[in-house]
Amino acid sequence: MKRYATIRFRSLLALLLLTATLQVQAQVKAERSVSKKVVVAPKRALKETGPVIKTLPGNQTPPSQQPSTPPNPSTQPPPPTQPQGQPTVPSKERRGAANIPFFLTSQIDADREFNAPDVLHVFNTVYRDANMQAGYYYFLPASYNLSWTAGTGKYDFNATYSAANANGRGETTVTAILKPKTGSRELKFVRELVEGNIKGKPEASYGVTDLIAMPMAQAPEIAFSNLGQFGVESKDISIRAPSDLMDPIYISFTTGRIDDLMGMFFNNIGLYGDVIVYPAGEGMPASIRIPFNLKIDDAGTFGRFELLPENWRTGWQNKTDFPVVLTHFNVLKKEPTGNFKIYTWQTGDPEVPEQARVKFDASRVPTWIDQDAGVVKMWMDYTVKPCVACNNTVKEKIIKGTSGSRVRNIDVTILTPLEFTAGQMLKVRIRSFQADPNGLSKADLPTLTITKDNTTLSGGQLFVPDGASPDFEYMLQVFMPDGTRYESDQWKKASDLDIVVGTSQVKEMISHFK
């Protein structure tokens, strides 16, 4: 049976009322946000200065990017000498980027505050060609994120385990592809922003010939901010940096602490850092840092949830592997003045389960959303909700063992063994031939340490051959406040991936508590 969420919008002028029907019916009202200016407040690690929209002069250079002698945007070299009696023909030859910036979001107004990356997938700053008459402008991606395909649900991320060694599980090789999310539709919109930005300036006479990814004086560098804490040395990292900023970044490294690292990819800050770009051009900054983030359950991975004016009323499906909370409904419209405005409605924060469909009851939504040719795009803001079961689903997609094996996750549920034993701490040890990706030796999974009752933990992954059943064994150790240890009389064999530790299991496995 399909799960549904019905969303109904209403606002003060054209009311947007949102109702979400998931497991039970809930009626949620939404009000238009208080009118505010858009503030370009960069997210963590975004190294571009964030101006305030509508108050920023169009040609102001961020202090961190000012050359020692800023060029004059209106000063151009004299045109080539023409034969006497013939009209002067402007040179359209491209000379490369110059540190003459224009700020895209100065052309956008909004109902509420936005971060520039919430609206654009390119840096807020674009740079003009050194030859004003050429009409070329240079852009950079706003960020690089883990590549994910909505149609297939595929992540460009793999963790491949090697064979176990004498100390247990062997090392793991992690490979990932990071991409910018800038597409042709986005660049068309960026071009319109540039055209509006140069209006009334000397550049307007020459228009916008094309937008070009920033050329580089040398290959970019990749700087990790938190990879070192997982014992990964620089010699173990392989990176294929892009020669064109629109190309993907390929990252590969080896670690012996994959379980700790997996905790970073899920429900944490992720693996992050910067792509250090060395732009080529006249007076350009020595370097510009573009942030990247490798995180599974993140809006940066899944991208913007866009809707199409012609068919958005038919519904929308959450194609991610995680539940999401929809927070705002946004419409970007080009006004008759030529500027752009974002109209925003609060949605009441309905939660939409993974793979569930949303049906919009939008009888009161203003009809101009569907009919106005000025509508550039529509999208929904959202947050990704943590979900342990969802994490396990994704791990089965991205974790690889030997050929012909499937990754299966063990869950350990702790009831009240500490209360029953009056113990200070409980440890659960698990081992199996299936803990070795190659199945050649019996390997130990990371020991679980429990200090409180009524909790659920991940016991690790097994590599179960196709056609086979899980096969492992586990034991319990109870530590008393005085340091005395009581442990299982023997290892207990199991094939059920859900281990439950309660009073009966303690009595059965540890004779001291019978």
Side-chain angles (χ1 to χ4, degrees), residues 1-290:
M1 179 181 295
K2 293 184 179 179
R3 289 172 291 182
Y4 291 97
T6 302
I7 295 186
R8 180 177 302 181
F9 300 95
R10 46 185 298 204
S11 73
L12 297 179
L13 298 177
L15 297 180
L16 248 138
L17 175 63
L18 184 143
T19 31
T21 309
L22 300 173
Q23 317 249 321
V24 296
Q25 290 284 348
Q27 196 82 1
V28 188
K29 294 185 178 181
E31 297 180 356
R32 281 294 301 274
S33 305
V34 179
S35 181
K36 297 181 180 178
K37 295 294 183 182
V38 179
V39 177
V40 181
K43 292 181 177 178
R44 177 199 54 73
L46 185 62
K47 301 304 187 295
E48 184 183 32
T49 302
V52 177
I53 290 180
K54 288 299 184 186
T55 62
L56 180 74
N59 273 22
Q60 179 177 332
T61 304
S64 62
Q65 299 180 3
Q66 288 181 354
S68 56
T69 306
N72 186 339
S74 301
T75 302
Q76 293 293 317
T81 303
Q82 299 291 325
Q84 191 171 4
Q86 295 187 15
T88 299
V89 179
S91 170
K92 301 290 287 184
E93 183 179 357
R94 212 171 76 200
R95 284 173 37 193
N99 196 352
I100 304 171
F102 293 85
F103 301 100
L104 300 175
T105 50
S106 63
Q107 303 301 305
I108 305 175
D109 201 355
D111 287 345
R112 66 185 181 95
E113 292 182 356
F114 279 87
N115 293 319
D118 294 336
V119 183
L120 298 169
H121 286 144
V122 301
F123 256 31
N124 185 43
T125 307
V126 297
Y127 296 87
R128 202 200 71 197
D129 192 89
N131 178 12
M132 178 172 62
Q133 300 168 352
Y136 288 94
Y137 294 81
Y138 302 86
F139 68 92
L140 299 95
S143 63
Y144 291 85
N145 291 279
L146 177 63
S147 175
W148 173 78
T149 304
T152 62
K154 180 180 180 295
Y155 302 84
D156 284 329
F157 178 98
N158 288 302
T160 305
Y161 288 85
S162 60
N165 53 37
N167 298 320
R169 176 173 292 177
E171 292 189 324
T172 305
T173 299
V174 175
T175 58
I177 300 176
L178 307 178
K179 293 181 179 179
K181 296 190 180 298
T182 305
S184 57
R185 288 182 60 197
E186 175 95 356
L187 292 180
K188 180 181 178 182
F189 171 51
V190 170
R191 180 172 182 148
E192 290 191 73
L193 291 176
V194 175
E195 289 171 344
N197 205 304
I198 64 176
K199 188 176 181 180
K201 301 173 184 175
E203 288 83 359
S205 301
Y206 308 100
V208 179
T209 303
D210 201 0
L211 297 173
I212 300 175
M214 178 66 69
M216 294 177 283
Q218 65 184 70
E221 296 178 4
I222 310 297
F224 290 90
S225 297
N226 60 342
L227 184 57
Q229 70 189 68
F230 299 100
V232 180
E233 299 181 16
S234 57
K235 65 181 180 61
D236 297 323
I237 304 174
S238 175
I239 297 173
R240 193 171 84 193
S243 56
D244 185 307
L245 291 179
M246 294 296 288
D247 291 338
I249 300 171
Y250 295 83
I251 297 175
S252 178
F253 58 87
T254 302
T255 177
R257 297 177 57 188
I258 187 60
D259 294 312
D260 293 334
L261 194 56
M262 278 294 173
M264 296 290 288
F265 296 144
F266 297 96
N267 306 331
N268 210 309
I269 59 176
L271 184 64
Y272 63 92
D274 294 301
V275 180
I276 305 175
V277 176
Y278 300 95
E282 297 181 13
M284 289 297 294
S287 65
I288 297 175
R289 303 176 79 96
I290 302 175

Side-chain angles (χ1 to χ4, degrees), residues 300-328:
T301 296
F302 300 124
R304 191 180 295 135
F305 289 168
E306 292 202 15
L307 305 169
L308 298 177
E310 60 269 22
N311 63 12
W312 73 276
R313 294 176 187 269
T314 62
W316 170 83
Q317 182 182 11
N318 174 16
K319 295 184 178 181
T320 76
D321 292 308
F322 297 87
V324 298
V325 175
L326 304 179
T327 57
H328 295 93

Side-chain angles (χ1 to χ4, degrees), residues 292-456:
F292 72 81
N293 196 4
L294 203 172
K295 188 175 187 302
I296 304 292
D297 53 341
D298 188 74
T301 296
F302 300 124
R304 191 180 295 135
F305 289 168
E306 292 202 15
L307 305 169
L308 298 177
E310 60 269 22
N311 63 12
W312 73 276
R313 294 176 187 269
T314 62
W316 170 83
Q317 182 182 11
N318 174 16
K319 295 184 178 181
T320 76
D321 292 308
F322 297 87
V324 298
V325 175
L326 304 179
T327 57
H328 295 93
F329 178 89
N330 306 290
V331 177
L332 175 66
K333 178 178 177 291
K334 188 174 185 177
E335 303 286 45
T337 60
N339 276 16
F340 294 86
K341 183 171 182 179
I342 301 173
Y343 294 86
T344 296
W345 293 264
Q346 296 175 347
T347 57
D349 298 346
E351 180 178 333
V352 183
E354 62 278 14
Q355 303 302 320
R357 295 193 66 86
V358 167
K359 289 185 176 180
F360 296 100
D361 182 3
S363 58
R364 294 188 175 182
V365 173
T367 56
W368 63 259
I369 290 179
D370 305 329
Q371 302 170 354
D372 197 318
V375 173
V376 177
K377 58 183 173 183
M378 303 165 54
W379 74 97
M380 294 182 292
D381 297 334
Y382 65 98
T383 58
V384 181
K385 286 204 68 175
C387 169
V388 174
C390 306
N391 292 348
N392 292 335
T393 298
V394 176
K395 287 177 182 178
E396 291 190 12
K397 293 183 179 182
I398 65 176
I399 298 178
K400 309 294 180 183
T402 55
S403 176
S405 66
R406 294 175 299 141
V407 176
R408 304 295 298 275
N409 296 282
I410 300 174
D411 290 325
V412 180
T413 300
I414 305 299
L415 300 180
T416 58
L418 292 176
E419 178 184 349
F420 168 68
T421 62
Q424 184 74 24
M425 179 173 63
L426 170 71
K427 289 192 174 186
V428 181
R429 295 177 58 193
I430 305 172
R431 68 184 185 183
S432 172
F433 279 97
Q434 294 176 351
D436 175 7
N438 293 317
L440 299 177
S441 61
K442 186 177 289 187
D444 291 293
L445 292 173
T447 300
L448 301 181
T449 300
I450 296 97
T451 57
K452 65 178 181 178
D453 288 331
N454 300 310
T455 186
T456 299

